[in-house]
Amino acid sequence: MGKRVRKAVLPVAGLGTRVLPGAKTTPKNLLNVVDRPILSYIVEEARAAGIEHIVFIVGRGQAAIEDYFDAIPEIEQALAAKGKTDILEDLRRDLPEPGQMSFIRQMAPLGLGHAVWCARHVIGDEPFAVMLPDMLMMAKRAALAQAVDAYEQKGGNVVVVEPCPPGEAHKYGIVALDGQDGRLNRMTGMVEKPAPGTEPSNLFISGRYILQPEIFEILETQERGAGGEIQLTDGMFHLMKKQDFHALEYEGTTYDCGDKIGLLRANVAFALARPDLADAARKAINALL
Ligand code: G1P
């Protein structure tokens, strides 16, 4: 078996145009779902999958992300002085151990493939995870942990996929499979944002990947693809000529928090899943309906 997956890349530099004006001065992945920023859930998922180091790929105006994962002594002292230890613990829950997070600037918005490539020096020569933080995944066993399980079983590269709502394949990366038997299948192809009617299956790439470091050499010279951007999907398609790729349909539910209604659904679903809030949330929602 290959090396263990220890590091995850979180490309967060996107502009968040679908969740403006909320994302105008707050990076979109710091918008709240219930009472925590989206990134808090993503970091928790990464930890549940055994990830020891997170590499954020950030853009200009996103220093708040780095601040969020730092201690804030004034607030901590005030909470301690008032004996509010539960809030204090909740606040500290998201903090990394010193040295467990890196922040890299993507200096130009050239695409997801370029964002991932920006992490090459920190990742080095080992397999790594990519997590698209817009996609919030609720699952009994963390979605990324399911991807790591699949990687430990098959080696190579693993891409998490799920059925695409009818008529929406052109918005996503779509995979082609070598037959379908269960949830984990060998891939034979993939295409980013296929023209309507040309998609090779109904399974879209939903935002969790385990990749081998050879992807970096490919991304280095990857030409621009769909939307004029350097696409991760195109890079993976090249790597597939040399290495195996498996598609995993994970068990759980995905909420696209880069979208207004997706963010609303996530808020409702995560509130209803919280033992301390479920009853009050259900009452409040029923009253509105
Ligand atoms: C990116 C990926 C695409 C994937 C999608 C999931 O596209 O390139 O393959 O299906 O995320 O959200 P984007 O949403 O950045 O256009």
Side-chain angles (χ1 to χ4, degrees):
M1 184 39 62
K3 293 181 190 167
R4 210 166 79 71
V5 181
R6 301 187 307 136
K7 300 177 185 171
V9 177
L10 273 59
V12 292
L15 285 177
T17 44
R18 290 181 294 154
V19 283
L20 280 172
K24 185 174 164 189
T25 49
T26 301
K28 64 173 171 172
N29 299 132
L30 286 186
L31 296 176
N32 266 9
V33 167
V34 191
D35 55 357
R36 323 185 70 80
I38 294 163
L39 279 179
S40 165
Y41 298 88
I42 303 285
V43 166
E44 195 166 70
E45 181 191 332
R47 286 181 180 151
I51 297 296
E52 296 161 7
H53 191 105
I54 293 181
V55 187
F56 290 91
I57 309 298
V58 296
R60 256 175 297 136
Q62 293 188 321
I65 294 176
E66 205 166 332
D67 288 342
Y68 181 79
F69 291 102
D70 193 1
I72 183 152
E74 308 87 281
I75 295 185
E76 289 181 17
Q77 280 157 15
L79 289 171
K82 288 181 185 158
K84 298 195 169 171
T85 46
D86 49 338
I87 304 182
L88 192 57
E89 271 167 34
D90 204 23
L91 202 60
R92 287 185 178 152
R93 190 169 106 195
D94 288 332
L95 295 186
E97 297 287 322
Q100 285 186 326
M101 287 184 177
S102 304
F103 297 83
I104 295 177
R105 283 288 180 106
Q106 185 188 20
M107 293 182 216
L110 298 178
L112 180 59
H114 177 261
V116 170
W117 175 78
C118 288
R120 67 201 180 284
H121 292 296
V122 181
I123 299 297
D125 188 26
E126 53 183 271
F128 63 102
V130 175
M131 305 173 79
L132 305 188
D134 284 358
M135 303 304 247
L136 197 48
M137 297 180 173
M138 190 190 277
K140 280 211 187 88
R141 178 156 174 74
L144 188 65
Q146 296 181 38
V148 169
D149 294 344
Y151 163 75
E152 283 172 354
Q153 196 185 329
K154 300 286 185 184
N157 303 265
V158 173
V159 177
V160 170
V161 299
E162 58 192 272
C164 185
E168 296 203 354
H170 64 281
K171 295 186 187 168
Y172 296 107
I174 304 290
V175 303
L177 299 182
D178 182 17
Q180 218 168 334
D181 179 16
R183 292 182 170 271
L184 186 58
N185 292 287
R186 214 175 69 82
M187 284 166 57
T188 54
M190 63 191 110
V191 53
E192 185 65 25
K193 309 217 165 41
T198 67
E199 60 271 13
S201 77
N202 76 331
L203 294 173
F204 79 98
I205 298 173
S206 66
R208 302 292 182 270
Y209 314 70
I210 308 293
L211 297 174
Q212 295 295 328
E214 286 77 18
I215 192 76
F216 292 124
E217 300 153 30
I218 294 171
L219 291 174
E220 176 109 28
T221 55
Q222 181 61 50
E223 286 176 7
R224 289 168 188 252
E229 296 186 350
I230 299 170
Q231 295 289 356
L232 181 59
T233 305
D234 295 344
M236 294 193 297
F237 184 67
H238 282 280
L239 186 56
M240 204 168 61
K241 291 171 190 150
K242 298 180 205 153
Q243 296 184 0
D244 271 355
F245 273 77
H246 282 84
L248 171 70
E249 273 190 75
Y250 88 107
E251 291 184 60
T253 310
T254 302
Y255 301 92
D256 181 357
C257 295
D259 169 87
K260 292 181 202 351
I261 296 298
L263 187 58
L264 177 65
R265 287 180 63 234
N267 270 286
V268 173
F270 279 79
L272 290 174
R274 279 261 298 260
D276 60 329
L277 293 177
D279 285 346
R282 186 166 292 109
K283 273 188 203 132
I285 293 161
N286 281 334
L288 286 172
L289 296 174

